[in-house]
Amino acid sequence: MNNLDLLDRTDTINGLLARYGVKFGIYKNGTFKEQLFPFDAIPRVIEKEEFAYLERGLKQRVAALNLFLRDIYNEKKIVKDGVVPEDFVYAASGYLVPCEGVTPPKDVFSHISGIDLVLGKDGVWYILEDNLRVPSGASYPMIARELCRRASPRTFNETAIEDNRNYARLLKHTLDYVNTGGLSVVMTPGRYNAAYFEHSYLAEQMRVPLVTYSDLEVENDYLYFKGYAGRKERVGAVYRRISDEYMDPMNFNPESVIGVPHIFDVYRKGHVALLNAPGNGIADDKGIYYFVPKMIKYYLGEEPILHNAPTYLPFYEEDMKYVLEKFDTLVLKDVAEAGGYGVVFGSKMTREQKEQFIAMLKAEPRRFIAQEVIDFCDIPIQDRGQIVERKADLRAFVLTAEEPVVWKSGLTRFSRNPDSFIVNSSQGGGFKDTWVLSQ
């Protein structure tokens, strides 16, 4: 596959990304700062047969997670049957008591799932984490592919690649499937959100209104969009890019100034669909991640197709003993953190740091998981005119309407630091397009 023509245009593509405002924002020391998400034009290429394998495993996993969410907020059979301990449910920060007994339209909880994987040097794909709250990132490979097509049409005419321009159509279908009657909208916290570019881009691609709290109001148990001409239109589906706790000050954080009062009450009555469903954070919890293979067996009666990274729960005495013995070889993660935060490597701590961390681990064993460090594959990137190898992961997107559908693309993130395994944009990483071959 010859893509030298495309590589020669890397600077041009990054210049266009900057011009179009393809950025992400981070808060550092109380200050909001926007920065570019550096793009590398060497694509990650996944063979057709390999992606078909990933597709089967991702559909299976998301189906089981949806069943878990429905169960855990209703009958709780998986807890009663001793598969998942109560402590790992009710102690999770993402478990929302107000969601008890609430079933979303069409029984879909995780409409948009972002599943993070890495390819080990042993040739095995490992799931690192499940993102079922407000997963972001699909817009970056969408717009990067579009710009690459413009920059080098020949590359795409000569290569059999799955077309990734259908993401907006898949997302719109997902909204329409659960829509309870009325408009579908994208709800953003506003201009200073880290992923604001994505919110506006997806709304534009789906041709639906991009709204904030001030554009929406609840009246007589229904949600309305206040149009620009003063006319109110009923809203039937909200693709919300706002965290649960800030969504509704009357039901969650009363100090929220970016939520819509009583929107959760409308949802609870079945008069609007919220994508993703409130309360999904329980399935994002890294402690719950440990139990997903058990969920697949429990709910589907199947063996897991894709593997978790080898994971230990210090909550269990046997696992705590192993973690303390092998501390220097493991990576420790705070179960409630995201974005590459709360991740520490035992091998990189000083003696004093280890002592402090182990004391915290013993005091709060439910707060952490420990994992074997996966020796995952390096992939080539361009760095100051040279081709070098860096660590990379893949965020796959699974959209669930009638059934889970895996987008034949994905966000490949890579570390620009040769000594780092952490690829998140908030930690200085870059991104690539992901080419799924069609033949």
Short mmCIF file of all heavy atoms in Angstrom, two decimals, residues 68-69 72-73 87-100 109 132-133 240 243-245 247 252 264 277-288 334-337 366:
data_model
loop_
_atom_site.label_atom_id
_atom_site.label_comp_id
_atom_site.label_asym_id
_atom_site.label_seq_id
_atom_site.Cartn_x
_atom_site.Cartn_y
_atom_site.Cartn_z
N PHE A 68 -26.67 -5.85 31.61
CA PHE A 68 -26.26 -5.58 32.99
C PHE A 68 -26.89 -4.30 33.51
O PHE A 68 -27.41 -4.25 34.64
CB PHE A 68 -24.73 -5.47 33.06
CG PHE A 68 -24.21 -4.90 34.34
CD1 PHE A 68 -24.25 -5.64 35.52
CD2 PHE A 68 -23.69 -3.61 34.39
CE1 PHE A 68 -23.78 -5.11 36.72
CE2 PHE A 68 -23.22 -3.08 35.57
CZ PHE A 68 -23.27 -3.82 36.73
N LEU A 69 -26.87 -3.24 32.71
CA LEU A 69 -27.44 -1.97 33.14
C LEU A 69 -28.94 -2.09 33.40
O LEU A 69 -29.46 -1.56 34.38
CB LEU A 69 -27.16 -0.88 32.10
CG LEU A 69 -25.71 -0.39 32.07
CD1 LEU A 69 -25.38 0.34 30.77
CD2 LEU A 69 -25.41 0.50 33.27
N ILE A 72 -29.24 -4.16 36.69
CA ILE A 72 -28.73 -3.59 37.93
C ILE A 72 -29.64 -2.47 38.44
O ILE A 72 -29.69 -2.20 39.65
CB ILE A 72 -27.27 -3.10 37.76
CG1 ILE A 72 -26.51 -3.24 39.08
CG2 ILE A 72 -27.19 -1.70 37.22
CD1 ILE A 72 -26.35 -4.65 39.57
N TYR A 73 -30.40 -1.85 37.55
CA TYR A 73 -31.33 -0.81 37.98
C TYR A 73 -32.76 -1.34 38.16
O TYR A 73 -33.68 -0.57 38.42
CB TYR A 73 -31.33 0.36 37.00
CG TYR A 73 -30.11 1.25 37.17
CD1 TYR A 73 -29.14 1.36 36.17
CD2 TYR A 73 -29.91 1.98 38.35
CE1 TYR A 73 -28.03 2.18 36.34
CE2 TYR A 73 -28.80 2.78 38.52
CZ TYR A 73 -27.86 2.89 37.52
OH TYR A 73 -26.76 3.70 37.70
N ASP A 87 -20.88 -4.71 46.96
CA ASP A 87 -19.93 -3.62 47.20
C ASP A 87 -19.47 -2.96 45.92
O ASP A 87 -19.15 -1.77 45.89
CB ASP A 87 -18.69 -4.15 47.94
CG ASP A 87 -19.05 -4.91 49.20
OD1 ASP A 87 -19.73 -5.95 49.08
OD2 ASP A 87 -18.67 -4.46 50.29
N PHE A 88 -19.41 -3.75 44.85
CA PHE A 88 -18.90 -3.21 43.60
C PHE A 88 -19.97 -2.48 42.81
O PHE A 88 -19.69 -1.85 41.80
CB PHE A 88 -18.26 -4.31 42.76
CG PHE A 88 -16.83 -4.53 43.13
CD1 PHE A 88 -16.51 -5.35 44.19
CD2 PHE A 88 -15.83 -3.85 42.48
CE1 PHE A 88 -15.19 -5.51 44.57
CE2 PHE A 88 -14.51 -4.00 42.85
CZ PHE A 88 -14.19 -4.84 43.90
N VAL A 89 -21.19 -2.56 43.25
CA VAL A 89 -22.27 -1.82 42.61
C VAL A 89 -22.57 -0.56 43.40
O VAL A 89 -22.41 0.56 42.92
CB VAL A 89 -23.53 -2.69 42.49
CG1 VAL A 89 -24.69 -1.87 41.92
CG2 VAL A 89 -23.25 -3.90 41.61
N TYR A 90 -22.96 -0.73 44.64
CA TYR A 90 -23.47 0.40 45.42
C TYR A 90 -22.38 1.36 45.89
O TYR A 90 -22.67 2.51 46.22
CB TYR A 90 -24.29 -0.12 46.60
CG TYR A 90 -25.40 -1.06 46.17
CD1 TYR A 90 -25.54 -2.33 46.72
CD2 TYR A 90 -26.27 -0.68 45.16
CE1 TYR A 90 -26.54 -3.18 46.30
CE2 TYR A 90 -27.27 -1.53 44.73
CZ TYR A 90 -27.40 -2.79 45.31
OH TYR A 90 -28.40 -3.64 44.88
N ALA A 91 -21.13 0.90 45.88
CA ALA A 91 -20.03 1.80 46.26
C ALA A 91 -19.47 2.56 45.07
O ALA A 91 -18.61 3.42 45.23
CB ALA A 91 -18.91 1.00 46.94
N ALA A 92 -19.96 2.26 43.86
CA ALA A 92 -19.44 2.91 42.65
C ALA A 92 -19.99 4.32 42.55
O ALA A 92 -21.20 4.54 42.72
CB ALA A 92 -19.82 2.09 41.42
N SER A 93 -19.12 5.26 42.22
CA SER A 93 -19.56 6.66 42.11
C SER A 93 -20.54 6.84 40.96
O SER A 93 -21.35 7.77 40.97
CB SER A 93 -18.34 7.57 41.90
OG SER A 93 -17.65 7.22 40.71
N GLY A 94 -20.49 5.94 39.97
CA GLY A 94 -21.38 6.06 38.82
C GLY A 94 -22.75 5.46 39.01
O GLY A 94 -23.61 5.56 38.13
N TYR A 95 -22.98 4.82 40.16
CA TYR A 95 -24.30 4.22 40.41
C TYR A 95 -25.25 5.30 40.92
O TYR A 95 -24.98 5.96 41.94
CB TYR A 95 -24.18 3.10 41.44
CG TYR A 95 -25.49 2.40 41.70
CD1 TYR A 95 -25.98 1.46 40.80
CD2 TYR A 95 -26.25 2.70 42.83
CE1 TYR A 95 -27.18 0.83 41.02
CE2 TYR A 95 -27.46 2.08 43.05
CZ TYR A 95 -27.92 1.15 42.14
OH TYR A 95 -29.13 0.52 42.36
N LEU A 96 -26.34 5.52 40.21
CA LEU A 96 -27.27 6.60 40.55
C LEU A 96 -28.59 6.04 41.09
O LEU A 96 -29.36 5.42 40.34
CB LEU A 96 -27.56 7.46 39.32
CG LEU A 96 -26.38 8.22 38.71
CD1 LEU A 96 -26.86 9.11 37.57
CD2 LEU A 96 -25.66 9.05 39.77
N VAL A 97 -28.83 6.27 42.36
CA VAL A 97 -30.05 5.78 43.00
C VAL A 97 -31.31 6.29 42.30
O VAL A 97 -32.29 5.54 42.15
CB VAL A 97 -30.05 6.14 44.50
CG1 VAL A 97 -31.39 5.78 45.14
CG2 VAL A 97 -28.90 5.42 45.22
N PRO A 98 -31.36 7.55 41.83
CA PRO A 98 -32.58 8.01 41.16
C PRO A 98 -32.95 7.21 39.91
O PRO A 98 -34.10 7.28 39.44
CB PRO A 98 -32.25 9.46 40.78
CG PRO A 98 -31.22 9.89 41.77
CD PRO A 98 -30.39 8.66 42.01
N CYS A 99 -32.00 6.44 39.36
CA CYS A 99 -32.28 5.64 38.15
C CYS A 99 -32.91 4.29 38.47
O CYS A 99 -33.23 3.53 37.55
CB CYS A 99 -30.99 5.45 37.35
SG CYS A 99 -30.33 6.97 36.67
N GLU A 100 -33.05 3.98 39.75
CA GLU A 100 -33.68 2.72 40.15
C GLU A 100 -35.07 2.60 39.54
O GLU A 100 -35.90 3.52 39.66
CB GLU A 100 -33.82 2.67 41.67
CG GLU A 100 -32.53 2.42 42.41
CD GLU A 100 -32.18 0.95 42.48
OE1 GLU A 100 -32.98 0.12 41.99
OE2 GLU A 100 -31.10 0.63 43.00
N PHE A 109 -29.70 1.24 26.94
CA PHE A 109 -29.00 2.09 27.91
C PHE A 109 -27.78 2.75 27.28
O PHE A 109 -27.59 3.95 27.39
CB PHE A 109 -28.56 1.26 29.13
CG PHE A 109 -29.67 0.96 30.09
CD1 PHE A 109 -30.58 -0.07 29.83
CD2 PHE A 109 -29.84 1.70 31.25
CE1 PHE A 109 -31.61 -0.35 30.71
CE2 PHE A 109 -30.87 1.43 32.14
CZ PHE A 109 -31.76 0.41 31.87
N LEU A 132 -19.16 4.17 28.58
CA LEU A 132 -20.58 4.10 28.30
C LEU A 132 -21.34 5.32 28.80
O LEU A 132 -22.57 5.34 28.78
CB LEU A 132 -21.20 2.83 28.92
CG LEU A 132 -21.06 1.54 28.11
CD1 LEU A 132 -19.62 1.09 28.00
CD2 LEU A 132 -21.89 0.43 28.74
N ARG A 133 -20.61 6.32 29.28
CA ARG A 133 -21.28 7.54 29.74
C ARG A 133 -21.39 8.53 28.58
O ARG A 133 -22.43 8.67 27.96
CB ARG A 133 -20.53 8.15 30.92
CG ARG A 133 -20.91 7.53 32.24
CD ARG A 133 -20.15 8.15 33.39
NE ARG A 133 -18.78 7.65 33.47
CZ ARG A 133 -17.97 7.83 34.51
NH1 ARG A 133 -18.41 8.51 35.55
NH2 ARG A 133 -16.76 7.35 34.52
N ARG A 240 -27.01 13.88 24.72
CA ARG A 240 -26.47 14.82 25.70
C ARG A 240 -24.97 14.61 25.85
O ARG A 240 -24.50 13.49 26.08
CB ARG A 240 -27.18 14.64 27.05
CG ARG A 240 -27.03 13.23 27.61
CD ARG A 240 -27.70 13.06 28.94
NE ARG A 240 -27.40 11.73 29.48
CZ ARG A 240 -26.50 11.50 30.43
NH1 ARG A 240 -25.82 12.49 30.95
NH2 ARG A 240 -26.27 10.28 30.85
N SER A 243 -22.40 15.53 31.65
CA SER A 243 -22.35 14.48 32.66
C SER A 243 -23.65 14.39 33.45
O SER A 243 -24.38 15.38 33.61
CB SER A 243 -21.18 14.73 33.63
OG SER A 243 -19.96 14.76 32.94
N ASP A 244 -23.91 13.20 33.98
CA ASP A 244 -25.13 12.95 34.75
C ASP A 244 -25.35 14.00 35.83
O ASP A 244 -26.44 14.54 35.98
CB ASP A 244 -25.06 11.58 35.44
CG ASP A 244 -25.15 10.42 34.47
OD1 ASP A 244 -25.52 10.65 33.30
OD2 ASP A 244 -24.85 9.28 34.87
N GLU A 245 -24.30 14.27 36.60
CA GLU A 245 -24.47 15.10 37.79
C GLU A 245 -24.85 16.55 37.47
O GLU A 245 -25.41 17.25 38.32
CB GLU A 245 -23.22 15.06 38.67
CG GLU A 245 -21.96 15.56 38.01
CD GLU A 245 -21.14 14.47 37.34
OE1 GLU A 245 -21.74 13.49 36.82
OE2 GLU A 245 -19.91 14.60 37.30
N MET A 247 -26.74 17.38 34.70
CA MET A 247 -27.82 17.34 33.72
C MET A 247 -29.11 18.01 34.21
O MET A 247 -29.83 18.64 33.44
CB MET A 247 -28.09 15.88 33.37
CG MET A 247 -29.18 15.62 32.38
SD MET A 247 -29.31 13.85 32.08
CE MET A 247 -29.69 13.24 33.73
N PHE A 252 -30.17 16.09 40.49
CA PHE A 252 -28.78 15.71 40.76
C PHE A 252 -28.07 16.87 41.46
O PHE A 252 -28.52 17.30 42.51
CB PHE A 252 -28.10 15.26 39.46
CG PHE A 252 -28.79 14.07 38.84
CD1 PHE A 252 -29.57 14.20 37.71
CD2 PHE A 252 -28.69 12.81 39.43
CE1 PHE A 252 -30.23 13.10 37.17
CE2 PHE A 252 -29.34 11.71 38.90
CZ PHE A 252 -30.12 11.85 37.76
N PHE A 264 -34.85 15.13 33.88
CA PHE A 264 -34.83 13.73 34.31
C PHE A 264 -36.25 13.24 34.61
O PHE A 264 -36.57 12.07 34.37
CB PHE A 264 -33.93 13.55 35.53
CG PHE A 264 -33.79 12.13 35.97
CD1 PHE A 264 -32.98 11.25 35.26
CD2 PHE A 264 -34.47 11.64 37.08
CE1 PHE A 264 -32.85 9.92 35.65
CE2 PHE A 264 -34.34 10.32 37.48
CZ PHE A 264 -33.52 9.46 36.76
N ALA A 277 -28.04 6.76 28.48
CA ALA A 277 -28.94 6.79 29.62
C ALA A 277 -28.22 7.24 30.89
O ALA A 277 -27.07 6.85 31.12
CB ALA A 277 -29.55 5.40 29.84
N PRO A 278 -28.87 8.05 31.72
CA PRO A 278 -28.29 8.39 33.02
C PRO A 278 -28.05 7.11 33.83
O PRO A 278 -28.82 6.15 33.75
CB PRO A 278 -29.38 9.24 33.68
CG PRO A 278 -30.19 9.76 32.54
CD PRO A 278 -30.16 8.70 31.50
N GLY A 279 -26.96 7.11 34.59
CA GLY A 279 -26.63 5.94 35.41
C GLY A 279 -25.68 4.96 34.79
O GLY A 279 -25.24 4.00 35.43
N ASN A 280 -25.30 5.19 33.52
CA ASN A 280 -24.38 4.27 32.84
C ASN A 280 -23.00 4.24 33.47
O ASN A 280 -22.21 3.33 33.22
CB ASN A 280 -24.21 4.67 31.37
CG ASN A 280 -25.30 4.11 30.48
OD1 ASN A 280 -26.32 3.65 30.97
ND2 ASN A 280 -25.09 4.16 29.18
N GLY A 281 -22.70 5.23 34.31
CA GLY A 281 -21.38 5.29 34.93
C GLY A 281 -21.03 4.06 35.74
O GLY A 281 -19.84 3.75 35.92
N ILE A 282 -22.03 3.33 36.20
CA ILE A 282 -21.75 2.09 36.94
C ILE A 282 -21.00 1.10 36.05
O ILE A 282 -20.12 0.37 36.51
CB ILE A 282 -23.06 1.45 37.49
CG1 ILE A 282 -22.78 0.15 38.22
CG2 ILE A 282 -24.07 1.21 36.39
CD1 ILE A 282 -21.90 0.29 39.43
N ALA A 283 -21.29 1.09 34.74
CA ALA A 283 -20.62 0.16 33.83
C ALA A 283 -19.27 0.68 33.38
O ALA A 283 -18.46 -0.08 32.84
CB ALA A 283 -21.51 -0.11 32.61
N ASP A 284 -19.00 1.97 33.59
CA ASP A 284 -17.68 2.54 33.29
C ASP A 284 -16.67 2.27 34.39
O ASP A 284 -15.47 2.37 34.18
CB ASP A 284 -17.79 4.08 33.18
CG ASP A 284 -18.10 4.53 31.76
OD1 ASP A 284 -18.51 3.69 30.95
OD2 ASP A 284 -17.93 5.73 31.49
N ASP A 285 -17.17 1.96 35.56
CA ASP A 285 -16.31 1.77 36.73
C ASP A 285 -15.28 0.68 36.45
O ASP A 285 -15.62 -0.43 36.01
CB ASP A 285 -17.18 1.39 37.93
CG ASP A 285 -16.40 1.32 39.22
OD1 ASP A 285 -15.69 0.32 39.43
OD2 ASP A 285 -16.51 2.26 40.04
N LYS A 286 -14.01 0.99 36.71
CA LYS A 286 -12.96 0.03 36.40
C LYS A 286 -13.01 -1.22 37.28
O LYS A 286 -12.45 -2.26 36.94
CB LYS A 286 -11.59 0.71 36.49
CG LYS A 286 -11.37 1.77 35.41
CD LYS A 286 -10.01 2.42 35.53
CE LYS A 286 -9.76 3.41 34.40
NZ LYS A 286 -10.67 4.56 34.42
N GLY A 287 -13.69 -1.10 38.43
CA GLY A 287 -13.91 -2.29 39.25
C GLY A 287 -14.93 -3.21 38.61
O GLY A 287 -14.78 -4.44 38.59
N ILE A 288 -15.98 -2.63 38.02
CA ILE A 288 -17.01 -3.42 37.33
C ILE A 288 -16.42 -4.06 36.07
O ILE A 288 -16.81 -5.17 35.69
CB ILE A 288 -18.21 -2.52 36.99
CG1 ILE A 288 -18.95 -2.11 38.28
CG2 ILE A 288 -19.18 -3.21 36.03
CD1 ILE A 288 -19.61 -3.24 39.04
N ASP A 334 -7.10 4.12 39.50
CA ASP A 334 -8.22 4.57 40.32
C ASP A 334 -9.49 4.29 39.52
O ASP A 334 -9.63 4.73 38.37
CB ASP A 334 -8.09 6.06 40.61
CG ASP A 334 -9.08 6.57 41.63
OD1 ASP A 334 -10.28 6.22 41.51
OD2 ASP A 334 -8.69 7.34 42.53
N VAL A 335 -10.45 3.58 40.11
CA VAL A 335 -11.61 3.10 39.35
C VAL A 335 -12.50 4.22 38.85
O VAL A 335 -13.25 4.04 37.88
CB VAL A 335 -12.45 2.10 40.17
CG1 VAL A 335 -11.64 0.88 40.56
CG2 VAL A 335 -13.05 2.77 41.41
N ALA A 336 -12.46 5.37 39.47
CA ALA A 336 -13.39 6.46 39.11
C ALA A 336 -12.76 7.50 38.18
O ALA A 336 -13.45 8.42 37.74
CB ALA A 336 -13.91 7.14 40.37
N GLU A 337 -11.46 7.35 37.88
CA GLU A 337 -10.79 8.34 37.04
C GLU A 337 -10.90 7.98 35.57
O GLU A 337 -11.21 6.84 35.20
CB GLU A 337 -9.31 8.46 37.43
CG GLU A 337 -9.09 9.05 38.82
CD GLU A 337 -9.25 10.57 38.85
OE1 GLU A 337 -9.60 11.16 37.80
OE2 GLU A 337 -9.02 11.15 39.91
N ARG A 366 -11.32 -0.97 47.55
CA ARG A 366 -12.34 -0.90 46.48
C ARG A 366 -12.02 0.19 45.46
O ARG A 366 -12.53 0.18 44.34
CB ARG A 366 -13.71 -0.65 47.12
CG ARG A 366 -14.86 -0.29 46.17
CD ARG A 366 -15.16 -1.40 45.18
NE ARG A 366 -16.27 -1.07 44.30
CZ ARG A 366 -16.17 -0.37 43.17
NH1 ARG A 366 -15.00 0.12 42.80
NH2 ARG A 366 -17.23 -0.16 42.41
#
